[in-house]
Amino acid sequence: MLSIKVLHAQDTLKVNLSGFIPAKGLFKLVYVPFTVPEGVTEIRVKETYSDKGKNVLNLGIYGPEGFELGNTAGFRGWSGGAKTEFFMNASEASTGYVAGKIKAGIWNILIYPSTITAEGINWQLDVILVKGVNKAPFKISPAPETVNNKPGWYRGDLHMHTFHSDGKRSQQKLLQEAKANGLDFIVSTEHNTNSANLSWGQYKTDKLLVINGEEVTTTAFGHWNAIGLSPTSWIEWRYTPEDNMIGTYLNQVKADGGLAIINHPFYNEERINSFGFDADLFDGIEVWNGHAKWNQLDELALEWWDSLLRQGKRKIAIAASDSHTPELSDNPVGSPHTVVQAEALSRKEIMAGLRAGKAYLAQGKETTLTFTAKAGAVTAGIGNELATSPGKEVHVSLAVTGTPDAFTATLVGDKGILASEKATGSNPTFSWRIAAGATKYLRVEVRDLKGDMVALTNPIWLL
Ligand SMILES: [Zn+2]
Ligand SMILES: [Zn+2]
């Protein structure tokens, strides 16, 4: 049901759109068209709906280029349930939305309920079309793709939010927090929009590498992060597992040199894996999602990841804060984070290091792990393969710094725990000998004495 009322004033046109979504319309996308005549230079939209709080009505907009799947030219912004009003003109737009010329033609506002009461939702969209002179056109200003060319282990947070989706901070503030929390890089991952990626270059990054990403958010089927994107890439989210469309968009991520990571697979109270797409298609899993502490949902994600490793599926494990709020929140940027071995602090090399699984996960910036396995004269590190000979031993060593006073280091293989040792004192080292053929991979977990994760590694693969 839709009703349209158009009111004319001298320099503005007001379009009032309204309708009703019944309870069975949960997650169903509703496109609400309106016509923009020639001469309009700014669009302002205000959304109101019944029982806000109990109901959540997501909001976004598409231009006259169209709204069919994958139409990046038509996409003009998304704020999900985080905003109920926005504007855009040639030079500026609300966060989450994409500035640019307002073309005449049929535009579509996209709304859909992600929470709905039995009574349904009465909604109204008040659109103001402002006529005038176009301001200077918005120019994209992406972050630099290289900070330095030095090989090293770089600390990065792969998942976070600003005002460009449902975060409670500006981009500039986020950069300051990331720097203060000891990070070398961040991945910008707003829900279903690339608007932040278009403007990171406007801010002072202070030698922090900013990599573009997007949290592809299909509310009913789980969230995943596309990371390592080109700044103008936008990844489509409007499909279900049954549509068999996801391969198209995963290929888009791959073509960009990016990776697709399943986010917080166990994030609901039922503690079931809520990720609805085929995990085999993805590169990795966020096994550690930011909270004050390692929790039971992380434990489930870790178990799931390990079960995939045991099946020979080489998924990358990552840790990320998913930080939404600044400073003293219980998930500040960088807590936890992923430490990546890369040939340079650049988008290309960080992505290459991650893709190879050359990464460990840590709660705090002080923690470092050095984990190697040696067979004969050859030594392999995290993410590497090591050829072993039957009947020979593999020498495994681990050095840990910057951990709590006492902790347990556990060596895990494809059949479970291979060794576990308690340690005290600063900078302890461990060495273990494993029979070649005993396991297809080796990985390490460092936990405090309560069992909370301090750090964990991706595997070394034994051949
Ligand atoms: Zn999410
Ligand atoms: Zn998120």
Side-chain angles (χ1 to χ4, degrees):
M1 191 172 71
L2 177 66
S3 71
I4 301 174
K5 202 164 41 161
V6 182
L7 302 167
H8 294 264
Q10 200 168 16
D11 295 322
T12 60
L13 291 170
K14 289 186 183 170
V15 184
N16 299 108
L17 307 151
S18 61
F20 174 72
I21 300 172
K24 66 175 195 291
L26 180 68
F27 299 129
K28 289 205 179 113
L29 308 183
V30 179
Y31 293 90
V32 184
F34 63 99
T35 301
V36 173
E38 293 290 346
V40 170
T41 55
E42 182 165 308
I43 295 177
R44 298 174 193 158
V45 173
K46 186 168 188 223
E47 174 198 60
T48 45
Y49 55 93
S50 55
D51 272 337
K52 188 170 181 291
K54 287 189 207 156
N55 288 322
V56 175
L57 192 61
N58 292 268
L59 181 65
I61 192 167
Y62 292 81
E65 294 86 350
F67 60 82
E68 70 275 18
L69 288 189
N71 188 337
T72 302
F75 173 74
R76 289 300 291 270
W78 177 251
S79 52
K83 277 190 180 69
T84 52
E85 43 189 311
F86 65 84
F87 80 96
M88 59 173 67
N89 60 43
S91 103
E92 293 170 293
S94 302
T95 45
Y97 291 82
V98 182
K101 196 171 181 308
I102 305 301
K103 291 183 185 159
I106 311 274
W107 288 61
N108 276 272
I109 295 171
L110 170 56
I111 52 176
Y112 88 84
S114 52
T115 306
I116 195 163
T117 57
E119 291 74 37
I121 297 177
N122 282 301
W123 58 264
Q124 187 169 328
L125 294 165
D126 297 314
V127 182
I128 297 177
L129 304 172
V130 184
K131 293 184 172 181
V133 178
N134 273 315
K135 296 178 183 166
F138 170 75
K139 284 204 188 75
I140 75 157
S141 174
E145 298 208 344
T146 302
V147 166
N148 70 48
N149 287 309
K150 287 181 249 163
W153 286 88
Y154 290 107
R155 291 181 187 270
D157 191 340
L158 276 60
H159 184 173
M160 63 200 63
H161 301 274
T162 72
F163 291 138
H164 280 271
S165 58
D166 54 350
K168 305 263 185 301
R169 56 157 82 81
S170 66
Q171 288 166 280
Q172 185 66 72
K173 187 79 180 62
L174 176 68
L175 294 170
Q176 289 161 1
E177 292 165 37
K179 202 70 198 165
N181 293 351
L183 296 176
D184 301 303
F185 72 93
I186 58 168
V187 185
S188 170
T189 56
E190 307 292 358
H191 294 284
N192 296 346
T193 181
N194 64 347
S195 59
N197 298 337
L198 301 174
S199 61
W200 282 109
Q202 292 175 13
Y203 304 98
K204 199 174 170 301
T205 50
D206 194 18
K207 296 194 175 150
L208 184 85
L209 175 68
V210 179
I211 295 175
N212 299 307
E214 178 184 325
E215 184 166 18
V216 184
T217 309
T218 59
T219 317
F221 310 103
H223 301 181
W224 58 277
N225 267 347
I227 64 172
L229 301 177
S230 299
T232 53
S233 291
W234 170 71
I235 308 299
E236 182 60 70
W237 57 273
R238 296 169 293 165
Y239 42 81
T240 69
E242 287 70 39
D243 294 335
N244 286 324
M245 294 296 302
I246 197 161
T248 305
Y249 304 107
L250 292 173
N251 284 339
Q252 190 189 344
V253 176
K254 196 181 275 181
D256 252 3
L259 292 169
I261 309 286
I262 297 165
N263 292 345
H264 47 67
F266 296 82
Y267 72 106
N268 57 8
E269 287 155 13
E270 291 79 30
R271 299 187 171 186
I272 51 169
N273 188 336
S274 55
F275 195 69
F277 295 94
D278 179 1
D280 286 358
L281 302 173
F282 288 78
D283 300 299
I285 299 169
E286 184 186 67
V287 301
W288 194 352
N289 180 267
H291 319 277
K293 279 277 175 205
W294 174 262
N295 72 16
Q296 196 54 35
L297 299 180
D298 299 316
E299 203 70 70
L300 290 169
L302 175 67
E303 276 174 28
W304 183 46
W305 173 60
D306 199 54
S307 75
L308 296 175
L309 297 181
R310 286 173 198 222
Q311 294 166 45
K313 296 173 179 174
R314 295 190 178 191
K315 303 299 172 193
I316 309 151
I318 68 108
S321 71
D322 199 1
S323 177
H324 284 72
T325 46
E327 287 160 350
L328 300 170
S329 66
D330 67 357
N331 69 333
V333 168
S335 180
H337 62 272
T338 303
V339 192
V340 182
Q341 186 179 29
E343 291 303 309
L345 185 54
S346 67
R347 166 189 170 194
K348 181 168 170 276
E349 296 301 338
I350 292 288
M351 296 311 296
L354 259 181
R355 184 175 295 105
K358 296 180 179 182
Y360 63 89
L361 289 51
Q363 176 72 51
K365 63 182 175 185
E366 305 79 18
T367 303
T368 65
L369 300 186
T370 309
F371 177 49
T372 57
K374 189 166 178 247
V378 181
T379 301
I382 299 167
N384 286 125
E385 291 179 341
L386 182 68
T388 63
S389 314
K392 297 273 172 64
E393 282 183 323
V394 177
H395 295 216
V396 184
S397 72
L398 171 71
V400 182
T401 65
T403 55
D405 288 345
F407 65 89
T408 307
T410 303
L411 183 67
V412 184
D414 65 3
K415 294 168 197 72
I417 292 172
L418 293 160
S420 191
E421 271 183 59
K422 233 177 235 182
T424 49
S426 59
N427 309 346
T429 58
F430 306 83
S431 56
W432 298 293
R433 286 168 184 241
I434 305 295
T439 176
K440 294 194 177 71
Y441 60 84
L442 295 165
R443 62 179 189 82
V444 159
E445 294 178 10
V446 173
R447 295 175 185 252
D448 67 19
L449 296 187
K450 292 197 299 268
D452 289 339
M453 197 67 76
V454 175
L456 82 145
T457 71
N458 273 280
I460 298 171
W461 301 95
L462 303 184
L463 306 178

